[in-house]
Amino acid sequence: MSARVAELLARVLPAERIGAFAGVHGHAPAPEARPSTPEEALEVLRLARAERWSLLPLGNGTRLAGIRPRERVDLVLASRNLRGITRYEPADGTLTALAGTPWGELVAATEARHHLSPELARPDGTLGGAIAAGASGLDRLRHGPLRHQILGLSALHADGSRVKSGGQVVKNVTGYDLHRLWCGSEGTLCFLLEGTLRLYPAPAETVVLRLAAASATEGAARAHALWRAGLQPVAAVVRAPALAGPAELALVLSGRAEAVADEVALVRAQADAVEELRGTEASTARAELRTAGTEATLVASTRPSQLPALLATLERAAAALGLAPRPTLHPLLATLELELPGLAPRDERLLELGEELAGAGARLRWRGLGARTPRLAPDATASELMQRLKRALDPEGLFAGGPP
Amino acid sequence: MRSLAQELRALVGAAGVVDEPTRLVAYESDALAMVTCLPELVVLPRDTRETAAVMALLHRRGVPVVPRGAGTGLAGGATPVTGGVVLSTARMRDVLELDPHDRFARVQAGVVNVDLSGLCQHAGLAYAPDPSSQMACTIGGNVANNSGGPHCFKYGATTRHVLGLVVVLHDGRVLDLAAPELDPLGYDLVGLFVGSEGTLGIATEVTVRLVPAPAVVEVQLALFRTLDGACEAVSDVIAAGLEPAALEILDQLTIDAVERSVFAAGYPREAGAVLLVELEGGAADVTAQAAALEALLARHDPLEVRRGRDAAARKKLWAGRKGAFGAMGRIAPDLYVADAVVPRTRLRELVARTVEICRERGLRLATVFHAGDGNLHPNICYDRRDADEVRRVLEAGHRILSECVAAGGALTGEHGVGLEKLAEMELYFTPADLEAACRMRAAWDPERRLNPGKLIPTHACLEVRSARPVGAGEPA
């Protein structure tokens, strides 16, 4: 099959734009088409449709660990050659770029005057990949997830039509927000071509405060106390080598100098030992906070008020299963990421831990489990509606997989 | 066989059905008064369960359904152009949950925007979207239109604040997405639904994000001799990286109208524009922002700058802006409130074009706009009894939208497409875009009975052909 796919691809793409996807995180190897223009992408899509291939759209593949492998993929359609900033209007605070543009390139082009949200860990991930994965970053508490930054998208639908949703202005309610449907759809509905994002003014000052805590639970409680007192950090992160041991609460404060000074004073009024990092030290500490882990990871979210109960459940369940997760908490988002170092993805205890947390009301996401990634379980009516949307926009199932 | 009205009364009680012609008149349009059409019936369920029963019945009967909040929409979105039944959320007014710790509220769709804001204040929180009609408009209506308001410059429109929804689908099934989720479970149905103008389902419950009320707020009101002066000051505010919560402009005719009304704010006669800027944050931060803003405004030679920090002073400074639409009633009996968006870098140029377009057609234009996000509201004063004036108003509206789209802008920033901008949708979208929208819509409502004739040009979706009159009974 692969040889035939490569042979047919050669009729619509030059040889240098045909490669091979090696397969990773349970996603099987497949031939890879790397079109460099929307027109080339359309030719590949038409060919795939005629041949009844199953397509997996891909950026640079940096987020595949969080995506359940497809049952069948005949061709990977990569956007990495669809690269470049098509419009950056600093006075307007908007940026338009092709889907395969690396995130780091977008940051570099805008950082002198603007903050690009979300603040992602991997500069080599692409704009389209981040959108397809429904990414959010370290600055989510301040600016929200990526789906809130998207002003407009264009994409190729399965029938070959090039479809636009939204636009290039910062406020717009013209027509349906199809881009909200595409964002987070993991490439199951379309192939993204281009996106426009809103930008925020670059902060004049950034300070990272570090506070020691006796445990992750206490670190989370301190963050909540500061939040109730009016603190509005860009990020609050509790990290600990183990659930029971000492932890550290890091607060990222950013904005106008006076606003940051107000917030530093607020924290210092409530805490004795505060390590204050500024300048390059703050930048380094902030970059460390957004570092993506490489281990199998379980992400659990709940309501802020239910976080202490969830942590208590986690401690009990982890001890009973003989697991020693390395927790990173985002207490103000009520989210905890549990890295499980050295654990084989096939270890049943991973799923058992998840079941315990789900039983305590947590919503779960997984990374690094490959084909064993549990399916999300929306209610039956929502699930049926999602299937109808898939059939409406991709009736022949050209894009591999269905609703995430 | 019982009539539809009788069957509906059995579901929602006698007070929940309107069929007397004199009372139906109240539902013949929303705030776009130039298009009217009587519904055959109005039904007012009290909760999700009743709404589901009503929708199941209307599904069996094949009756078109037009959802309606408070009827304050300005694009004709709640006008029953194909007849059928208007489903009003006016009796769904309960706040179901207000959680100050987790900072969200769950409300029935008919809760009035300002009532929710008022409740939040007691908890030191705020519901950010604040449309001009917030004294009357409902949260469900805000969801349908993805409504904005002055403070959306900082906080974003409704879609950024909706965490969950309960939606009754076309056939009466209930889609329960009410739990406040960080990220969608699967496709983002909530994000897709917000702004869908009643064409995908009936939202009966809405879970919204609340934000902390700012510690300190200061309003500065600058009076300029010309509209250009105010627009230039706005460009400088944005370029300087100041992040006000709101940036609003009123033009000269609006100022005149305000000064001749009960909302009179003491604007001087020679003022050609008012710029209203609201700053918020911690005490030291607001003081620094205020000083920077005052220096910036001074560079544009204002006639006067007024400042206010306490609630009473701020209310006084906002009074002219909040009363602007009401005050325009003194200029002419009717007001066509247009809504378009332009890139912020082209604001001044496009504002000048709207003035020219109206002048060329002998129309009186009073402009109020959300300058910070490039959202223009050219308000054309007219008399609906004058057919030629109505024609010129519509022509001007079309021209203004065409020029905004050509400049890289959008057809609507917060009012929605409704009926008003159907023709212009083809200026903005290609046939392929509209076809994709129709297919998406059909996945929610295969018979296209929900709010037919809105949002997507009729020939694109053919929904009117599927509409059946109320009296037709159930399909064989």
Side-chain angles (χ1 to χ4, degrees):
Chain A
M1 180 65 179
S2 292
R4 177 172 157 72
V5 171
E7 183 192 324
L8 290 174
L9 265 184
R11 297 181 188 172
V12 295
L13 279 184
E16 67 271 20
R17 292 202 268 282
I18 300 170
F21 169 63
V24 62
H25 298 295
H27 296 265
E32 182 174 302
R34 298 166 186 160
S36 63
T37 64
E39 292 71 27
E40 282 184 355
L42 177 58
E43 286 304 312
V44 174
L45 190 137
R46 282 181 176 148
L47 172 65
R49 192 175 171 210
E51 295 296 319
R52 297 188 171 276
W53 293 341
S54 186
L55 282 182
L56 175 67
L58 193 71
N60 262 340
T62 60
R63 294 184 170 271
L64 282 173
I67 290 174
R68 194 182 157 78
R70 309 290 184 245
E71 286 170 11
R72 179 191 140 202
V73 172
D74 300 312
L75 177 67
V76 167
L77 180 55
S79 63
R80 70 182 65 167
N81 284 339
L82 284 168
R83 184 170 173 165
I85 292 170
T86 41
R87 182 176 165 274
Y88 171 41
E89 186 59 70
D92 211 28
T94 58
L95 170 81
T96 303
L98 293 171
T101 314
W103 198 262
E105 217 169 285
L106 303 178
V107 172
T110 55
E111 64 187 350
R113 293 188 60 178
H114 287 108
H115 171 77
L116 176 69
S117 182
E119 202 173 324
L120 298 177
R122 296 276 303 261
D124 53 339
T126 63
L127 169 65
I131 293 168
S136 59
L138 180 66
D139 58 346
R140 179 176 188 148
L141 193 61
R142 171 77 56 89
H143 296 300
L146 175 53
R147 63 180 183 273
H148 288 172
Q149 321 310 334
I150 298 171
L151 301 175
L153 293 177
S154 71
L156 285 178
H157 267 178
D159 62 0
S161 57
R162 183 170 178 165
V163 178
K164 170 183 98 167
S165 172
Q168 296 190 326
V169 285
V170 294
K171 192 176 186 186
N172 187 0
V173 298
T174 312
Y176 294 116
D177 282 355
L178 279 180
H179 51 283
R180 290 292 294 265
L181 185 61
W182 296 336
C183 181
S185 65
E186 298 182 353
T188 62
L189 294 176
C190 64
F191 178 69
L192 293 168
L193 294 173
E194 191 177 62
T196 300
L197 304 179
R198 71 172 300 151
L199 303 168
Y200 299 90
E205 182 123 54
T206 295
V207 171
V208 176
L209 301 180
R210 287 178 175 158
L211 291 76
S215 65
T217 303
E218 191 201 280
R222 295 186 78 171
H224 277 274
L226 288 163
W227 197 36
R228 285 193 295 275
L231 190 75
Q232 293 184 59
V234 171
V237 184
V238 176
R239 291 186 301 178
L243 275 173
E248 178 190 88
L249 166 63
L251 299 165
V252 180
L253 311 175
S254 182
R256 291 178 300 276
E258 295 80 5
V260 172
D262 274 350
E263 299 210 302
V264 170
L266 194 155
V267 175
R268 287 195 173 280
Q270 294 213 3
D272 297 331
V274 178
E275 185 187 2
E276 186 174 318
L277 305 176
R278 289 177 179 267
T280 51
E281 281 187 328
S283 301
T284 306
R286 188 170 178 163
E288 280 171 13
L289 290 173
R290 57 176 181 255
T291 300
T294 53
E295 309 283 351
T297 304
L298 165 59
V299 182
S301 59
T302 185
R303 293 184 185 185
S305 57
Q306 292 166 5
L307 188 60
L310 185 65
L311 285 166
T313 303
L314 171 63
E315 280 198 46
R316 274 198 308 276
L321 291 165
L323 294 173
R326 192 162 58 208
T328 300
L329 272 67
H330 299 271
L332 306 185
L333 295 168
T335 297
L336 52 106
E337 293 181 22
L338 300 168
E339 272 198 284
L340 297 147
L343 211 62
R346 298 199 65 79
D347 194 317
E348 286 298 325
R349 292 177 298 168
L350 275 174
L351 302 183
E352 289 174 36
L353 180 65
E355 282 168 19
E356 290 284 341
L357 297 182
R363 298 287 196 189
L364 306 180
R365 315 263 163 171
W366 302 84
R367 283 202 296 264
L369 294 194
R372 286 169 56 76
T373 306
R375 291 182 187 280
L376 299 175
D379 79 25
T381 307
S383 188
E384 195 213 329
L385 180 55
M386 289 179 206
Q387 295 293 347
R388 282 208 304 270
L389 285 164
K390 167 73 179 175
R391 286 195 298 274
L393 300 181
D394 181 15
E396 294 161 5
L398 177 68
F399 296 109
Chain B
M1 192 173 110
R2 288 196 298 175
S3 71
L4 181 62
Q6 287 171 324
E7 288 197 53
L8 287 170
R9 283 194 182 96
L11 297 174
V12 301
V17 177
V18 175
D19 59 356
E20 304 92 323
T22 50
R23 291 180 62 203
L24 288 175
V25 171
Y27 299 89
E28 67 179 5
S29 78
D30 55 17
L32 182 74
M34 65 172 68
V35 184
T36 61
C37 193
L38 273 184
E40 288 154 271
L41 286 171
V42 177
V43 61
L44 301 100
R46 284 166 290 202
D47 55 24
T48 301
R49 189 185 56 79
E50 285 190 358
T51 307
V54 165
M55 291 298 284
L57 171 61
L58 298 177
H59 173 61
R60 289 196 299 276
R61 293 267 196 149
V63 175
V65 183
V66 180
R68 181 183 175 102
T72 56
L74 289 155
T79 302
V81 282
T82 61
V85 168
V86 166
L87 192 151
S88 165
T89 58
R91 292 205 300 171
M92 295 192 224
R93 294 237 164 150
D94 288 341
V95 173
L96 303 168
E97 196 177 357
L98 179 64
D99 188 329
H101 187 278
D102 291 346
R103 296 183 180 171
F104 74 87
R106 190 165 58 87
V107 303
Q108 283 193 303
V111 166
V112 173
N113 178 296
V114 79
D115 291 344
L116 175 59
S117 302
L119 277 176
C120 296
Q121 275 175 8
H122 299 302
L125 298 169
Y127 176 61
D130 56 346
S132 291
S133 58
Q134 71 177 145
M135 297 298 287
C137 68
T138 62
I139 300 298
N142 295 170
V143 166
N145 285 322
N146 190 10
S147 302
H151 288 87
C152 289
F153 176 52
K154 176 173 180 179
Y155 293 100
T158 299
T159 191
R160 291 185 72 142
H161 303 272
V162 175
L163 299 173
L165 291 170
V166 174
V167 174
V168 177
L169 298 175
H170 72 108
D171 55 2
R173 285 180 305 148
V174 176
L175 178 65
D176 188 347
L177 306 168
E181 298 284 354
L182 208 55
D183 288 305
L185 284 178
Y187 297 150
D188 184 6
L189 300 179
V190 171
L192 184 59
F193 187 90
V194 176
S196 60
E197 302 191 20
T199 61
L200 303 184
I202 313 280
T204 54
E205 291 178 22
V206 187
T207 308
V208 296
R209 181 170 75 101
L210 305 175
V211 297
V216 176
V217 181
E218 175 168 326
V219 174
Q220 293 195 14
L221 185 152
L223 293 147
F224 291 91
R225 284 185 183 81
T226 64
L227 192 55
D228 270 4
C231 288
E232 283 168 11
V234 166
S235 299
D236 278 6
V237 168
I238 293 169
L242 286 174
E243 293 177 273
L247 258 174
E248 301 282 302
I249 289 181
L250 280 64
D251 77 346
Q252 190 165 34
L253 189 55
T254 310
I255 291 170
D256 286 348
V258 167
E259 285 307 298
R260 285 191 279 140
S261 75
V262 294
F263 307 105
Y267 300 144
R269 221 170 250 285
E270 63 271 34
V274 168
L275 170 62
L276 199 67
V277 187
E278 185 166 294
L279 306 167
E280 59 177 48
D285 181 29
V286 171
T287 299
Q289 285 187 72
L293 176 64
E294 200 168 26
L296 188 151
L297 293 174
R299 290 207 294 273
H300 296 278
D301 194 24
L303 291 166
E304 183 187 344
V305 177
R306 302 173 186 176
R307 295 171 62 163
R309 272 208 187 183
D310 64 73
R314 286 189 277 124
K315 191 174 177 187
K316 196 172 165 192
L317 292 173
W318 269 102
R321 167 64 183 86
K322 294 275 184 186
F325 288 94
M328 286 173 203
R330 294 189 65 87
I331 303 175
D334 296 297
L335 190 65
Y336 176 80
V337 184
D339 170 40
V341 190
V342 297
R344 295 182 288 191
T345 44
R346 302 190 64 181
L347 192 61
R348 200 174 60 162
E349 169 196 346
L350 270 300
V351 168
R353 273 301 292 145
T354 64
V355 172
E356 278 173 39
I357 287 166
C358 289
R359 191 185 296 136
E360 286 163 7
R361 288 161 181 80
L363 297 168
R364 286 161 297 171
L365 173 71
T367 292
V368 176
F369 53 103
H370 307 303
D373 32 36
N375 187 187
L376 304 180
H377 289 314
N379 303 304
I380 308 175
C381 305
Y382 75 103
D383 183 341
R384 79 177 91 167
R385 294 165 298 186
D386 181 341
D388 184 61
E389 193 170 43
V390 169
R391 182 191 59 76
R392 283 180 284 131
V393 167
L394 292 173
E395 188 183 88
H398 179 80
R399 192 75 224 148
I400 289 168
L401 288 175
S402 304
E403 299 224 3
C404 290
V405 169
L411 292 178
T412 165
E414 55 186 8
H415 294 174
V417 173
L419 281 176
E420 184 208 358
K421 298 186 177 80
L422 281 175
E424 286 80 10
M425 285 289 276
E426 286 166 294
L427 294 175
Y428 189 77
F429 288 117
T430 65
D433 300 334
L434 295 173
E435 167 63 19
C438 286
R439 284 157 66 173
M440 184 282 294
R441 176 180 179 175
W444 292 73
D445 175 21
E447 297 163 340
R448 295 158 182 162
R449 280 185 305 104
L450 294 180
N451 217 5
K454 311 289 170 56
L455 188 57
I456 304 288
T458 301
H459 62 85
C461 266
L462 304 175
E463 67 268 39
V464 171
R465 292 187 197 174
S466 72
R468 292 164 54 82
V470 167
E474 294 192 31

